[in-house]
Amino acid sequence: MVAFILVMIGISTSAILSQVLITNLDAAVTDAASSIQPRIVFQNSANDVLNSGRFDSGTLLVMSSPAIGVTGAVVEDAGARALSNADLSRIADSLRGADPSVRTVDLPNLGEYLVRAFPAPGSDSYFFVGLPLSQVTGTIGAILTTVALVTAGGLLLLAVVIAIIIRLGLRPLRSVADTATRVASLRMDQGDVSIEERVPEDQVDEHTEIGQVGAALNTLLDRVDASLSARQRNEDLMRRFVADASHELRTPLASIRGFSELSLRAMRQAQDDESRQRIAMAVETTEQSLERIQAQSLRMTALVEDLLLLARLDEGQELVYGTVDLTRLAVEAVGDARPAGPDHSWTIDVDAEPVELAGDVSRLNQVVANLLANARTHTPAGTEVTVSVTREGDEAVLRVHDDGPGIDPSVAAQLFERFARADRSRDRKTGGTGLGLSIAKAIVEAHGGAIGVRSTPGDTTFEVRLPAKPRDPA
């Protein structure tokens, strides 16, 4: 496109300049004719006319007189030279029937001439004056040559500059391609995968399209890296979950197996020894073993039911929605907790107006019960536990506060994970499964709410926030 524009400029300039030069040459022919016309009266030949004055080199004159006929001459450096008969015949053929208009004549020995006819003084004939077109063609040729050289040089320089600019402009894109190639060579199908490759910061520019590509690739790699890390964490959690579940189930299974073997051994011994004392001891041992087996079976049943509840909550099941009076639910839960924890001080703090919401009353009751059981189990005797229910904007807020020793900060982040049993700061009094708080979290999140904890020594608060049901207009 640049070459085409430059060529068109050169052609247009040459055409315009050619017209200007032709016009100037025609004016020069007219000026020469005005100088020649007075001399024709006193001279008999064109050669004499041109020698009688000072005319530019290349000036051509053709005239006819009755005395000597047609004569022609051209001015050269050494003076006027008469034209040959061939030149005169060529001029006569070209200018036959000529009028005062401008003609272009190509002479074999002289080249191309611009010739104009002028009326001869004192007669009806014409004389012809011409100047060579070599001045015009030479100037135009020089201009075209200059334009061609400048255009070629300019295009070459432009090509070099564009090549450099393109290479510099595409450098960030090459960096993006190199980064993508290195990332593609990484193995991401297993193990802990971390993508450290990024497009260098000096190749990322939010103000250019290619720089935006690099920034977008870095953002993509950040998210992929975060996703891979989350996948690895989930795999680690799943492995730990399976290990914890296996451990929780292995203990009651081992107990069941041990007591079963004890019962069978006692029965075989009673069969071998039919004394009443042996039979009574075997019956007593078997009865105790069956009681332990039943207790361990109940423990396994509770664990399996908790796991099943978590699985169904993860799938969005197990909720039956209705209107829940959270205030009443908290009051009843505290009433149930007092007999179970008589060595604790239980306080209820609720508004006079009930706080209602849409939810599953049995599951929400399980949340409150788990939080109160957690406070009762992991705090020493004499601890004061306060349950409060309030409405804050469009949320119903339930808080369970105690003034116990608090939660170890190192395990607070994992407190709501499944089988989380690393609470070193609280005296663990019962052998729970470590699923209570994770179940409470799953239920709350299934209701579209959130649960959290803030803990310092002497001040621990579990907070549950749930979308509140709007009040009916009175």
Side-chain angles (χ1 to χ4, degrees):
M1 184 61 68
V2 173
F4 174 76
I5 292 174
L6 292 177
V7 169
M8 293 303 297
I9 290 174
I11 293 175
S12 302
T13 302
S14 300
I16 294 172
L17 184 59
S18 176
Q19 292 296 326
V20 173
L21 293 176
I22 292 293
T23 301
N24 293 338
L25 186 62
D26 183 51
V29 170
T30 303
D31 291 341
S34 64
S35 298
I36 291 173
Q37 193 173 24
R39 292 179 170 84
I40 293 177
V41 178
F42 303 102
Q43 306 295 335
N44 293 323
S45 67
N47 196 4
D48 294 337
V49 172
L50 294 178
N51 283 324
S52 65
R54 297 179 62 84
F55 296 98
D56 294 335
S57 178
T59 303
L60 175 71
L61 174 62
V62 177
M63 57 180 289
S64 65
S65 67
I68 61 174
V70 178
T71 62
V74 62
V75 177
E76 294 182 345
D77 294 336
R81 177 180 66 83
L83 297 177
S84 64
N85 292 330
D87 290 335
L88 292 174
S89 177
R90 184 67 174 269
I91 294 174
D93 292 339
S94 300
L95 299 178
R96 194 177 303 278
D99 54 23
S101 62
V102 178
R103 294 293 184 91
T104 300
V105 180
D106 189 7
L107 301 178
N109 298 323
L110 298 176
E112 197 171 15
Y113 267 75
L114 181 70
V115 180
R116 178 185 284 273
F118 297 93
S123 68
D124 295 333
S125 61
Y126 293 90
F127 68 93
F128 301 93
V129 179
L131 288 174
L133 286 170
S134 58
Q135 302 175 15
V136 176
T137 56
T139 303
I140 297 301
I143 290 176
L144 291 178
T145 301
T146 303
V147 170
L149 293 176
V150 172
T151 300
L155 289 177
L156 181 61
L157 179 61
L158 182 62
V160 173
V161 172
I162 289 177
I164 295 174
I165 292 175
I166 289 177
R167 289 185 65 84
L168 293 176
L170 293 182
R171 181 181 297 173
L173 194 58
R174 288 194 296 272
S175 180
V176 170
D178 293 340
T179 302
T181 301
R182 292 193 298 269
V183 172
S185 64
L186 298 176
R187 292 197 60 182
M188 304 182 188
D189 55 342
Q190 58 184 356
D192 188 4
V193 180
S194 178
I195 302 177
E196 302 294 338
E197 299 291 342
R198 295 293 186 276
V199 179
E201 290 297 329
D202 59 341
Q203 303 296 331
V204 175
D205 187 359
E206 296 290 346
H207 302 290
T208 64
E209 288 77 3
I210 297 179
Q212 291 173 2
V213 172
L217 179 61
N218 282 348
T219 301
L220 175 63
L221 293 178
D222 290 340
R223 294 188 178 181
V224 171
D225 189 37
S227 299
L228 292 174
S229 300
R231 184 204 68 180
Q232 186 62 34
R233 286 196 300 271
N234 291 336
E235 290 181 356
D236 294 340
L237 288 175
M238 183 59 66
R239 293 191 188 98
R240 188 170 64 186
F241 174 78
V242 172
D244 291 340
S246 300
H247 175 76
E248 291 293 339
L249 291 173
R250 184 177 62 179
T251 300
L253 286 174
S255 299
I256 291 174
R257 180 180 178 182
F259 286 116
S260 299
E261 291 177 353
L262 180 62
S263 299
L264 291 174
R265 186 182 301 114
M267 292 178 63
R268 292 192 185 101
Q269 290 177 354
Q271 290 176 355
D272 294 340
D273 188 353
E274 296 181 353
S275 64
R276 289 187 176 181
Q277 184 177 1
R278 287 287 186 181
I279 294 175
M281 291 177 60
V283 171
E284 183 180 359
T285 301
T286 302
E287 182 178 1
Q288 292 176 354
S289 298
L290 291 175
E291 289 177 353
R292 297 300 302 164
I293 290 173
Q294 183 182 24
Q296 296 300 327
S297 298
L298 293 175
R299 181 180 176 184
M300 284 195 302
T301 300
L303 175 61
V304 172
E305 288 179 350
D306 287 344
L307 293 175
L308 180 61
L309 174 61
L310 286 172
R312 289 179 175 175
L313 289 173
D314 290 340
E315 295 176 358
Q317 303 177 8
E318 274 305 301
L319 293 181
V320 180
Y321 281 90
T323 301
V324 179
D325 186 345
L326 190 60
T327 301
R328 180 178 179 181
L329 190 148
V331 171
E332 292 177 351
V334 171
D336 295 336
R338 284 194 176 99
D343 51 354
H344 286 65
S345 175
W346 302 92
T347 305
I348 184 73
D349 181 14
V350 296
D351 296 335
E353 184 178 358
V355 177
E356 295 183 343
L357 54 91
D360 189 325
V361 62
S362 61
R363 295 306 174 196
L364 292 177
N365 182 63
Q366 187 175 359
V367 171
V368 181
N370 285 351
L371 293 178
L372 295 181
N374 181 76
R376 182 186 70 249
T377 303
H378 300 291
T379 56
T383 301
E384 182 178 359
V385 180
T386 302
V387 180
S388 63
V389 178
T390 60
R391 180 191 293 272
E392 296 181 1
D394 295 333
E395 291 182 327
V397 182
L398 181 141
R399 295 183 177 90
V400 177
H401 173 269
D402 68 72
D403 56 0
I407 303 173
D408 187 349
S410 63
V411 300
Q414 292 82 30
L415 200 61
F416 293 97
E417 294 182 3
R418 298 171 187 184
F419 297 105
R421 301 171 62 176
D423 189 354
R424 301 187 185 93
S425 65
R426 294 189 176 201
D427 186 14
R428 188 181 180 93
K429 297 180 180 180
T430 62
T433 61
L435 295 176
L437 291 180
S438 61
I439 290 175
K441 179 182 178 182
I443 294 174
V444 170
E445 291 181 349
H447 282 80
I451 184 172
V453 61
R454 300 186 302 274
S455 180
T456 57
D459 183 11
T460 299
T461 302
F462 284 85
E463 182 180 85
V464 176
R465 289 182 173 271
L466 297 166
K469 180 181 178 181
R471 296 188 181 91
D472 295 330

